[in-house]
Amino acid sequence: MVRYFLVKGRVQGVGFRWFVHREAAELGLRGWVRNTDEGHVEVVASGDPEVLDELKSAIKKGSRGSRVDAVIEQELDESEDEKLGPFVIEGAW
């Protein structure tokens, strides 16, 4: 299963992408996380539904110093998985 999350709140400049990366990698998920120009964070993750639910719970909780106001979730087509590799932070050095 492949899911897209749009995370709104104070999620840029507080280590949120690194937090999501760590959580997703520990869960063995594939995909990516990146900032948006609007000040949000986008996540695309692929894995078992139960494991994706664990990631969603972690995202809702947020990292230390962050504030998650909303998580918008959308299921993507399974074919999107073919484009994904090990979980990475896009746009990081």
Side-chain angles (χ1 to χ4, degrees):
M1 173 176 270
V2 184
R3 289 192 193 157
Y4 168 83
F5 302 98
L6 179 64
V7 188
K8 297 183 176 188
R10 190 176 68 224
V11 291
Q12 287 192 11
V14 292
F16 192 81
R17 290 177 301 158
W18 299 96
F19 164 77
V20 172
H21 177 266
R22 186 183 71 240
E23 294 291 325
E26 285 178 8
L27 292 169
L29 296 171
R30 297 161 40 91
W32 51 262
V33 58
R34 68 180 174 207
N35 287 338
T36 71
D37 292 338
E38 295 79 30
H40 311 311
V41 169
E42 293 180 306
V43 181
V44 170
S46 177
D48 292 333
E50 303 81 27
V51 180
L52 289 168
D53 288 342
E54 288 183 51
L55 178 64
K56 182 179 178 182
S57 294
I59 288 172
K60 282 184 165 182
K61 219 186 282 186
S63 63
R64 191 172 170 176
S66 69
R67 186 191 72 244
V68 176
D69 296 333
V71 179
I72 299 166
E73 180 181 357
Q74 179 182 351
E75 190 171 329
L76 301 178
D77 192 272
E78 284 291 324
S79 65
E80 292 293 319
D81 179 68
E82 297 167 12
K83 303 173 190 170
L84 303 174
F87 207 90
V88 296
I89 300 172
E90 290 193 347
W93 325 282

Coordinates of all heavy atoms in Angstrom, one line a residue:
M1 N 0.8 -1.2 0.0 CA 0.0 0.0 0.0 C 0.9 1.2 0.0 O 1.9 1.3 0.6 CB -0.9 0.0 1.2 CG -1.7 1.2 1.4 SD -2.8 1.1 2.8 CE -4.2 0.5 2.0
V2 N 0.5 2.3 -0.7 CA 1.2 3.5 -0.8 C 0.3 4.6 -0.3 O -0.8 4.8 -0.8 CB 1.7 3.8 -2.2 CG1 2.6 5.1 -2.3 CG2 2.5 2.6 -2.8
R3 N 0.8 5.4 0.6 CA 0.0 6.6 1.2 C 0.8 7.9 1.0 O 2.0 7.9 1.2 CB -0.3 6.3 2.6 CG -1.3 5.3 2.8 CD -1.8 5.3 4.3 NE -2.6 4.1 4.6 CZ -2.8 3.6 5.8 NH1 -2.3 4.3 6.8 NH2 -3.5 2.5 6.0
Y4 N 0.0 8.9 0.8 CA 0.5 10.3 0.8 C 0.0 11.0 2.0 O -1.2 10.9 2.3 CB 0.1 11.0 -0.5 CG 0.3 12.5 -0.5 CD1 1.5 13.0 -0.9 CD2 -0.7 13.3 -0.1 CE1 1.7 14.4 -0.9 CE2 -0.5 14.7 -0.1 CZ 0.7 15.2 -0.5 OH 0.9 16.6 -0.5
F5 N 0.9 11.7 2.7 CA 0.5 12.5 3.9 C 0.9 14.0 3.6 O 2.0 14.2 3.2 CB 1.1 12.0 5.2 CG 0.8 10.6 5.5 CD1 1.8 9.6 5.2 CD2 -0.3 10.3 6.2 CE1 1.5 8.3 5.5 CE2 -0.6 8.9 6.5 CZ 0.3 7.9 6.2
L6 N 0.0 14.9 3.9 CA 0.4 16.3 3.9 C 0.2 16.8 5.4 O -0.9 16.7 5.9 CB -0.6 17.1 3.0 CG -0.3 18.6 3.0 CD1 1.1 18.9 2.4 CD2 -1.3 19.4 2.2
V7 N 1.3 17.2 6.0 CA 1.3 17.6 7.4 C 1.4 19.1 7.5 O 2.3 19.7 7.0 CB 2.5 16.9 8.1 CG1 2.4 17.1 9.6 CG2 2.7 15.4 7.7
K8 N 0.4 19.6 8.2 CA 0.3 21.1 8.4 C 0.5 21.4 9.9 O 0.2 20.7 10.8 CB -1.1 21.6 8.0 CG -1.4 21.4 6.5 CD -2.7 21.9 6.1 CE -2.9 21.8 4.6 NZ -4.1 22.5 4.2
G9 N 1.1 22.6 10.1 CA 1.4 23.0 11.5 C 2.8 23.7 11.5 O 3.3 24.1 10.4
R10 N 3.5 23.6 12.6 CA 4.8 24.1 12.7 C 5.7 22.9 12.5 O 6.1 22.2 13.5 CB 5.1 24.8 14.1 CG 6.5 25.5 14.1 CD 6.7 26.2 15.4 NE 6.9 25.3 16.5 CZ 6.4 25.4 17.7 NH1 5.6 26.4 18.0 NH2 6.6 24.4 18.6
V11 N 6.0 22.6 11.2 CA 6.7 21.4 10.9 C 8.0 21.7 10.0 O 8.6 20.7 9.6 CB 5.8 20.4 10.2 CG1 4.8 19.8 11.2 CG2 5.1 21.0 9.0
Q12 N 8.3 22.9 9.8 CA 9.6 23.2 9.1 C 10.5 24.0 10.1 O 10.1 24.8 10.9 CB 9.3 24.1 7.9 CG 8.6 23.3 6.8 CD 8.6 24.0 5.4 OE1 9.2 25.1 5.3 NE2 7.9 23.5 4.5
G13 N 11.8 23.6 10.0 CA 12.8 24.3 10.8 C 12.8 23.7 12.2 O 13.4 24.3 13.1
V14 N 12.2 22.6 12.4 CA 12.2 22.0 13.8 C 12.6 20.5 13.8 O 12.3 19.7 14.7 CB 10.7 22.1 14.4 CG1 10.4 23.5 14.7 CG2 9.7 21.4 13.5
G15 N 13.2 20.0 12.7 CA 13.7 18.7 12.6 C 12.6 17.6 12.3 O 12.8 16.5 12.5
F16 N 11.5 18.1 11.8 CA 10.4 17.2 11.5 C 10.7 16.2 10.4 O 10.4 15.0 10.5 CB 9.1 18.0 11.1 CG 7.9 17.2 11.1 CD1 7.2 16.9 12.3 CD2 7.4 16.7 10.0 CE1 6.1 16.1 12.4 CE2 6.2 15.9 10.0 CZ 5.6 15.6 11.2
R17 N 11.4 16.6 9.3 CA 11.7 15.7 8.3 C 12.6 14.6 8.8 O 12.5 13.4 8.4 CB 12.3 16.4 7.1 CG 11.4 17.3 6.3 CD 12.1 18.0 5.2 NE 13.2 18.8 5.7 CZ 14.2 19.2 5.0 NH1 14.4 18.9 3.8 NH2 15.2 20.0 5.6
W18 N 13.6 14.9 9.6 CA 14.5 14.0 10.1 C 13.8 13.0 11.1 O 14.1 11.8 11.1 CB 15.7 14.7 10.9 CG 16.4 15.6 10.0 CD1 16.2 16.9 9.8 CD2 17.4 15.2 9.0 NE1 17.1 17.4 8.8 CE2 17.9 16.3 8.3 CE3 18.1 14.0 8.7 CZ2 18.8 16.3 7.4 CZ3 19.0 13.9 7.8 CH2 19.4 15.1 7.1
F19 N 12.8 13.5 11.8 CA 12.0 12.7 12.7 C 11.2 11.7 11.9 O 11.2 10.5 12.2 CB 11.1 13.6 13.5 CG 9.9 12.9 14.1 CD1 10.1 12.1 15.3 CD2 8.6 12.9 13.6 CE1 9.0 11.5 15.9 CE2 7.6 12.3 14.2 CZ 7.8 11.5 15.3
V20 N 10.6 12.1 10.8 CA 9.8 11.2 9.9 C 10.7 10.2 9.3 O 10.4 9.0 9.2 CB 9.0 12.0 8.9 CG1 8.3 11.1 7.9 CG2 7.9 12.9 9.5
H21 N 11.9 10.6 8.8 CA 12.8 9.7 8.2 C 13.2 8.6 9.2 O 13.2 7.4 8.8 CB 14.1 10.5 7.8 CG 15.1 9.6 7.2 ND1 16.2 9.2 7.9 CD2 15.3 9.2 5.9 CE1 17.0 8.4 7.2 NE2 16.5 8.4 5.9
R22 N 13.6 9.0 10.4 CA 14.0 8.0 11.4 C 12.8 7.0 11.7 O 13.0 5.8 11.7 CB 14.4 8.7 12.7 CG 15.0 7.7 13.7 CD 15.3 8.3 15.0 NE 14.1 8.7 15.7 CZ 13.8 10.0 16.1 NH1 14.6 11.0 15.8 NH2 12.7 10.2 16.7
E23 N 11.6 7.5 11.9 CA 10.5 6.6 12.2 C 10.2 5.7 11.0 O 10.0 4.5 11.2 CB 9.2 7.5 12.4 CG 9.3 8.3 13.7 CD 9.2 7.5 14.9 OE1 8.5 6.5 15.0 OE2 9.9 7.9 15.9
A24 N 10.2 6.2 9.8 CA 9.9 5.4 8.6 C 11.0 4.3 8.4 O 10.7 3.2 8.0 CB 9.8 6.3 7.4
A25 N 12.2 4.7 8.6 CA 13.3 3.8 8.4 C 13.3 2.7 9.4 O 13.5 1.5 9.1 CB 14.7 4.5 8.4
E26 N 13.0 3.0 10.7 CA 12.8 2.0 11.7 C 11.7 1.0 11.4 O 11.7 -0.1 11.8 CB 12.6 2.7 13.1 CG 13.8 3.3 13.6 CD 13.6 4.0 15.0 OE1 12.5 3.9 15.5 OE2 14.5 4.6 15.5
L27 N 10.6 1.5 10.7 CA 9.5 0.7 10.4 C 9.7 -0.1 9.1 O 8.9 -0.9 8.7 CB 8.2 1.5 10.3 CG 7.7 2.2 11.6 CD1 6.6 3.2 11.3 CD2 7.2 1.1 12.5
G28 N 10.8 0.2 8.4 CA 11.1 -0.5 7.2 C 10.3 -0.1 6.0 O 10.1 -0.9 5.0
L29 N 9.9 1.2 6.0 CA 9.1 1.7 4.9 C 10.0 2.2 3.8 O 11.1 2.6 4.0 CB 8.2 2.8 5.4 CG 7.1 2.3 6.4 CD1 6.4 3.6 7.0 CD2 6.1 1.4 5.8
R30 N 9.4 2.3 2.6 CA 10.0 2.9 1.4 C 9.4 4.2 1.2 O 8.2 4.4 1.5 CB 9.9 2.0 0.2 CG 10.5 0.7 0.4 CD 10.0 -0.4 -0.6 NE 9.7 0.0 -1.9 CZ 10.6 0.0 -2.9 NH1 11.8 -0.4 -2.7 NH2 10.3 0.4 -4.1
G31 N 10.1 5.2 0.6 CA 9.4 6.5 0.2 C 10.3 7.7 0.5 O 11.5 7.6 0.5
W32 N 9.6 8.8 0.8 CA 10.4 10.1 0.9 C 9.6 11.1 1.8 O 8.4 10.9 2.0 CB 10.7 10.7 -0.4 CG 9.6 10.8 -1.4 CD1 9.3 10.0 -2.4 CD2 8.6 11.9 -1.4 NE1 8.2 10.5 -3.1 CE2 7.8 11.6 -2.5 CE3 8.4 13.0 -0.7 CZ2 6.7 12.4 -2.9 CZ3 7.3 13.8 -1.0 CH2 6.5 13.5 -2.1
V33 N 10.3 12.1 2.3 CA 9.7 13.2 3.0 C 10.3 14.5 2.5 O 11.5 14.5 2.2 CB 9.8 13.0 4.5 CG1 11.3 12.9 4.9 CG2 9.1 14.1 5.3
R34 N 9.5 15.6 2.4 CA 10.1 16.8 1.9 C 9.2 18.0 2.4 O 8.0 17.8 2.7 CB 10.2 16.9 0.4 CG 8.9 16.9 -0.3 CD 9.1 16.9 -1.8 NE 7.9 16.8 -2.5 CZ 7.7 16.3 -3.8 NH1 8.8 15.9 -4.4 NH2 6.5 16.3 -4.3
N35 N 9.9 19.2 2.4 CA 9.1 20.4 2.7 C 8.4 20.9 1.5 O 8.8 20.6 0.4 CB 10.1 21.5 3.1 CG 10.7 21.3 4.5 OD1 10.1 20.6 5.4 ND2 11.8 21.9 4.8
T36 N 7.3 21.6 1.7 CA 6.6 22.3 0.6 C 6.9 23.8 0.7 O 7.3 24.3 1.7 CB 5.1 22.0 0.6 OG1 4.6 22.8 1.7 CG2 4.7 20.6 0.8
D37 N 6.6 24.5 -0.4 CA 6.8 25.9 -0.5 C 5.8 26.6 0.4 O 6.0 27.8 0.8 CB 6.7 26.4 -1.9 CG 7.8 26.0 -2.8 OD1 8.9 25.6 -2.3 OD2 7.6 26.0 -4.0
E38 N 4.7 26.0 0.8 CA 3.7 26.6 1.6 C 3.9 26.4 3.1 O 3.1 26.8 3.9 CB 2.3 25.9 1.3 CG 1.8 26.2 -0.1 CD 2.5 25.3 -1.2 OE1 2.8 24.1 -0.8 OE2 2.6 25.7 -2.3
G39 N 5.0 25.8 3.5 CA 5.4 25.6 4.9 C 4.9 24.3 5.5 O 4.9 24.2 6.7
H40 N 4.4 23.4 4.7 CA 4.0 22.1 5.2 C 5.1 21.0 4.9 O 6.1 21.4 4.3 CB 2.7 21.7 4.4 CG 1.6 22.7 4.4 ND1 1.2 23.4 5.6 CD2 0.9 23.2 3.4 CE1 0.3 24.3 5.3 NE2 0.1 24.2 4.0
V41 N 4.8 19.8 5.2 CA 5.7 18.7 4.9 C 4.8 17.6 4.2 O 3.7 17.3 4.6 CB 6.3 18.1 6.2 CG1 7.0 16.8 5.9 CG2 7.3 19.1 6.8
E42 N 5.4 17.1 3.1 CA 4.8 16.0 2.4 C 5.5 14.7 2.7 O 6.8 14.7 2.8 CB 4.9 16.2 0.9 CG 4.1 17.4 0.4 CD 4.2 17.5 -1.2 OE1 5.4 17.6 -1.6 OE2 3.2 17.5 -1.8
V43 N 4.8 13.6 2.8 CA 5.4 12.3 3.0 C 4.7 11.3 2.0 O 3.5 11.3 1.9 CB 5.1 11.8 4.4 CG1 5.7 10.4 4.6 CG2 5.6 12.8 5.4
V44 N 5.5 10.5 1.3 CA 5.0 9.4 0.6 C 5.6 8.1 1.1 O 6.9 8.1 1.2 CB 5.2 9.5 -1.0 CG1 4.9 8.2 -1.7 CG2 4.4 10.6 -1.5
A45 N 4.8 7.2 1.6 CA 5.4 6.0 2.2 C 4.7 4.7 1.7 O 3.5 4.7 1.4 CB 5.3 6.0 3.7
S46 N 5.5 3.7 1.5 CA 4.9 2.4 1.0 C 5.3 1.3 2.0 O 6.4 1.2 2.5 CB 5.6 2.1 -0.4 OG 5.1 0.9 -0.8
G47 N 4.3 0.4 2.3 CA 4.5 -0.7 3.2 C 3.2 -1.3 3.5 O 2.1 -1.0 2.9
D48 N 3.2 -2.2 4.5 CA 2.0 -2.8 5.0 C 1.0 -1.8 5.6 O 1.5 -0.9 6.3 CB 2.3 -3.9 6.0 CG 3.0 -5.1 5.3 OD1 2.8 -5.3 4.1 OD2 3.8 -5.8 6.0
P49 N -0.3 -2.0 5.5 CA -1.2 -1.0 6.0 C -1.0 -0.8 7.5 O -1.1 0.4 8.0 CB -2.6 -1.6 5.8 CG -2.4 -2.5 4.6 CD -1.0 -3.0 4.7
E50 N -0.8 -1.8 8.3 CA -0.6 -1.7 9.8 C 0.6 -0.8 10.1 O 0.6 0.0 11.0 CB -0.5 -3.1 10.4 CG -1.6 -4.0 10.2 CD -1.5 -4.7 8.8 OE1 -0.4 -4.9 8.3 OE2 -2.6 -5.1 8.3
V51 N 1.7 -1.0 9.3 CA 2.9 -0.3 9.5 C 2.7 1.2 9.1 O 3.2 2.1 9.8 CB 4.1 -0.9 8.8 CG1 5.4 -0.2 9.0 CG2 4.3 -2.4 9.2
L52 N 2.0 1.4 8.0 CA 1.7 2.8 7.6 C 0.8 3.5 8.7 O 1.0 4.7 8.9 CB 1.0 2.8 6.3 CG 1.9 2.4 5.1 CD1 1.0 2.2 3.9 CD2 2.9 3.5 4.8
D53 N 0.0 2.8 9.4 CA -0.8 3.3 10.5 C 0.1 3.7 11.6 O -0.1 4.8 12.3 CB -1.9 2.3 10.9 CG -3.0 2.2 10.0 OD1 -3.2 3.1 9.1 OD2 -3.8 1.2 10.1
E54 N 1.1 3.0 11.9 CA 2.1 3.3 12.9 C 2.8 4.6 12.5 O 3.0 5.5 13.4 CB 3.1 2.2 13.1 CG 2.6 1.0 13.8 CD 3.7 -0.1 14.0 OE1 4.8 0.3 14.6 OE2 3.5 -1.2 13.6
L55 N 3.2 4.7 11.3 CA 3.9 6.0 10.8 C 2.9 7.2 11.0 O 3.3 8.2 11.5 CB 4.3 5.9 9.4 CG 5.0 7.1 8.8 CD1 6.3 7.4 9.6 CD2 5.2 7.0 7.3
K56 N 1.7 7.0 10.6 CA 0.7 8.1 10.7 C 0.5 8.5 12.2 O 0.5 9.7 12.5 CB -0.7 7.6 10.2 CG -1.7 8.7 10.2 CD -3.0 8.3 9.7 CE -4.1 9.4 9.8 NZ -5.4 8.9 9.2
S57 N 0.5 7.6 13.1 CA 0.4 7.9 14.5 C 1.6 8.7 15.0 O 1.5 9.7 15.7 CB 0.3 6.6 15.4 OG -0.9 6.0 15.1
A58 N 2.8 8.3 14.5 CA 4.0 9.1 14.9 C 4.0 10.5 14.3 O 4.3 11.5 14.9 CB 5.3 8.3 14.4
I59 N 3.5 10.6 13.0 CA 3.4 11.9 12.4 C 2.5 12.8 13.1 O 2.8 14.0 13.4 CB 3.0 11.7 10.9 CG1 4.1 11.1 10.1 CG2 2.5 13.1 10.3 CD1 3.7 10.8 8.6
K60 N 1.3 12.2 13.5 CA 0.4 13.1 14.3 C 0.9 13.6 15.6 O 0.6 14.7 16.0 CB -0.9 12.2 14.5 CG -1.8 12.1 13.4 CD -3.1 11.3 13.7 CE -4.1 11.5 12.7 NZ -5.4 10.8 13.1
K61 N 1.7 12.7 16.3 CA 2.4 13.1 17.5 C 3.4 14.2 17.3 O 3.5 15.2 18.0 CB 3.0 11.9 18.1 CG 2.9 11.8 19.6 CD 3.7 10.7 20.2 CE 3.0 9.4 20.0 NZ 3.7 8.3 20.7
G62 N 4.2 14.0 16.2 CA 5.2 15.0 15.8 C 6.5 14.9 16.6 O 6.6 14.1 17.5
S63 N 7.5 15.6 16.1 CA 8.8 15.6 16.8 C 8.8 16.7 17.9 O 7.9 17.5 18.0 CB 9.8 16.0 15.7 OG 9.6 17.3 15.2
R64 N 9.8 16.6 18.7 CA 10.0 17.6 19.7 C 10.1 18.9 19.1 O 10.9 19.1 18.2 CB 11.2 17.2 20.5 CG 11.4 17.9 21.8 CD 12.6 17.3 22.5 NE 13.0 18.1 23.6 CZ 13.9 17.7 24.4 NH1 14.6 16.6 24.2 NH2 14.2 18.5 25.4
G65 N 9.4 19.9 19.5 CA 9.5 21.3 19.0 C 8.6 21.5 17.8 O 8.4 22.7 17.4
S66 N 7.9 20.5 17.3 CA 7.0 20.7 16.2 C 5.5 20.8 16.8 O 5.3 20.5 18.0 CB 7.0 19.5 15.2 OG 6.5 18.3 15.8
R67 N 4.6 21.2 15.9 CA 3.2 21.3 16.3 C 2.4 20.8 15.1 O 2.5 21.5 14.0 CB 2.8 22.7 16.7 CG 1.3 22.7 17.2 CD 0.8 24.1 17.4 NE 0.5 24.7 16.1 CZ 1.2 25.7 15.6 NH1 2.1 26.3 16.2 NH2 0.9 26.2 14.4
V68 N 1.8 19.7 15.1 CA 1.0 19.1 14.0 C -0.4 19.6 14.2 O -1.1 19.2 15.2 CB 1.2 17.6 13.9 CG1 0.3 17.1 12.8 CG2 2.6 17.2 13.7
D69 N -0.9 20.4 13.3 CA -2.3 20.8 13.3 C -3.2 19.9 12.5 O -4.4 19.8 12.9 CB -2.4 22.3 12.8 CG -1.7 23.3 13.6 OD1 -1.5 23.0 14.8 OD2 -1.2 24.3 13.1
A70 N -2.7 19.4 11.4 CA -3.6 18.5 10.6 C -2.7 17.6 9.8 O -1.6 17.9 9.4 CB -4.4 19.4 9.6
V71 N -3.2 16.4 9.5 CA -2.6 15.4 8.6 C -3.6 15.0 7.6 O -4.7 14.4 7.9 CB -2.1 14.2 9.4 CG1 -1.5 13.2 8.4 CG2 -1.1 14.5 10.5
I72 N -3.4 15.4 6.4 CA -4.3 15.0 5.3 C -3.7 13.8 4.6 O -2.5 13.8 4.2 CB -4.5 16.2 4.3 CG1 -5.1 17.4 5.0 CG2 -5.3 15.7 3.1 CD1 -5.0 18.7 4.2
E73 N -4.5 12.7 4.5 CA -4.0 11.4 4.0 C -4.7 11.0 2.7 O -5.9 11.3 2.6 CB -4.3 10.4 5.1 CG -3.8 9.0 4.7 CD -4.1 8.0 5.9 OE1 -4.6 8.5 6.9 OE2 -3.8 6.9 5.7
Q74 N -4.0 10.4 1.8 CA -4.6 10.0 0.6 C -3.9 8.7 0.2 O -2.7 8.6 0.2 CB -4.4 11.0 -0.5 CG -4.9 10.7 -1.9 CD -4.6 11.8 -2.9 OE1 -4.2 12.9 -2.5 NE2 -4.8 11.5 -4.1
E75 N -4.7 7.7 -0.2 CA -4.1 6.4 -0.7 C -3.7 6.6 -2.2 O -4.5 7.1 -3.0 CB -5.1 5.3 -0.6 CG -4.5 3.9 -0.8 CD -5.4 2.8 -0.4 OE1 -6.2 2.9 0.5 OE2 -5.3 1.7 -1.1
L76 N -2.5 6.2 -2.5 CA -2.0 6.3 -3.9 C -2.1 4.9 -4.6 O -2.2 3.9 -3.9 CB -0.6 6.8 -3.9 CG -0.3 8.2 -3.3 CD1 1.1 8.5 -3.4 CD2 -1.2 9.2 -4.0
D77 N -2.1 4.9 -5.9 CA -2.1 3.7 -6.7 C -0.9 2.8 -6.3 O 0.2 3.4 -6.1 CB -2.1 4.0 -8.2 CG -2.4 2.8 -9.0 OD1 -1.5 2.1 -9.3 OD2 -3.6 2.6 -9.3
E78 N -1.0 1.5 -6.3 CA 0.1 0.6 -6.0 C 1.3 0.8 -6.9 O 2.4 0.5 -6.5 CB -0.4 -0.8 -6.0 CG -1.3 -1.2 -4.8 CD -0.5 -1.4 -3.6 OE1 0.7 -1.8 -3.6 OE2 -1.0 -1.0 -2.5
S79 N 1.0 1.2 -8.1 CA 2.1 1.4 -9.1 C 3.1 2.4 -8.7 O 4.3 2.4 -9.1 CB 1.5 1.8 -10.5 OG 0.9 3.0 -10.4
E80 N 2.7 3.3 -7.8 CA 3.6 4.4 -7.3 C 4.8 3.7 -6.5 O 5.9 4.3 -6.4 CB 2.9 5.3 -6.3 CG 1.9 6.2 -7.1 CD 2.5 7.2 -8.0 OE1 3.5 7.8 -7.7 OE2 2.0 7.4 -9.1
D81 N 4.6 2.5 -6.0 CA 5.6 1.9 -5.2 C 6.9 1.6 -6.1 O 8.0 1.6 -5.6 CB 5.1 0.5 -4.7 CG 6.2 -0.2 -3.9 OD1 6.6 0.3 -2.8 OD2 6.7 -1.3 -4.4
E82 N 6.7 1.4 -7.4 CA 7.8 1.1 -8.3 C 8.8 2.3 -8.3 O 10.0 2.1 -8.6 CB 7.3 0.8 -9.7 CG 6.4 -0.4 -9.7 CD 5.7 -0.5 -11.0 OE1 6.0 0.2 -12.0 OE2 4.8 -1.4 -11.1
K83 N 8.4 3.5 -8.0 CA 9.2 4.7 -8.1 C 10.0 4.9 -6.8 O 10.8 5.8 -6.7 CB 8.4 5.9 -8.4 CG 7.6 5.8 -9.7 CD 6.7 7.0 -9.8 CE 5.7 6.8 -11.0 NZ 4.6 7.8 -11.0
L84 N 9.6 4.1 -5.7 CA 10.2 4.4 -4.4 C 11.3 3.5 -4.1 O 11.3 2.3 -4.4 CB 9.1 4.3 -3.4 CG 7.8 5.2 -3.6 CD1 6.8 4.8 -2.5 CD2 8.2 6.6 -3.5
G85 N 12.3 4.0 -3.4 CA 13.4 3.3 -2.9 C 13.5 3.4 -1.3 O 12.4 3.7 -0.7
P86 N 14.6 3.1 -0.8 CA 14.7 3.3 0.7 C 14.3 4.7 1.1 O 14.5 5.6 0.3 CB 16.2 3.0 1.0 CG 16.7 2.2 -0.2 CD 15.8 2.7 -1.4
F87 N 13.7 4.8 2.3 CA 13.2 6.1 2.7 C 14.3 7.2 2.8 O 15.3 7.0 3.4 CB 12.5 5.9 4.1 CG 11.4 6.9 4.3 CD1 10.1 6.6 3.9 CD2 11.7 8.2 4.8 CE1 9.1 7.6 4.0 CE2 10.7 9.1 4.9 CZ 9.4 8.8 4.5
V88 N 14.0 8.3 2.1 CA 15.0 9.4 2.1 C 14.3 10.7 2.4 O 13.1 10.9 2.3 CB 15.6 9.5 0.6 CG1 16.4 8.3 0.3 CG2 14.6 9.8 -0.4
I89 N 15.1 11.7 2.7 CA 14.7 13.1 2.9 C 15.0 13.8 1.6 O 16.2 13.9 1.2 CB 15.4 13.8 4.0 CG1 15.1 13.0 5.3 CG2 15.0 15.2 4.1 CD1 15.9 13.5 6.5
E90 N 14.0 14.3 0.9 CA 14.3 15.0 -0.4 C 14.5 16.5 0.0 O 13.9 17.1 0.9 CB 13.1 14.9 -1.3 CG 12.9 13.5 -1.9 CD 11.9 13.5 -3.0 OE1 11.2 14.5 -3.3 OE2 11.9 12.5 -3.7
G91 N 15.5 17.1 -0.7 CA 15.8 18.5 -0.6 C 16.7 18.8 0.6 O 16.9 19.9 1.0
A92 N 17.2 17.7 1.2 CA 18.2 17.9 2.3 C 19.6 17.8 1.7 O 19.8 17.3 0.6 CB 18.0 16.8 3.4
W93 N 20.6 18.3 2.4 CA 21.9 18.4 1.9 C 22.4 17.0 1.7 O 22.6 16.2 2.3 CB 22.9 19.2 2.8 CG 22.2 20.3 3.4 CD1 21.9 21.5 2.9 CD2 21.8 20.3 4.8 NE1 21.3 22.3 3.8 CE2 21.2 21.6 5.0 CE3 21.7 19.5 5.8 CZ2 20.6 22.0 6.2 CZ3 21.2 19.8 7.0 CH2 20.6 21.1 7.2

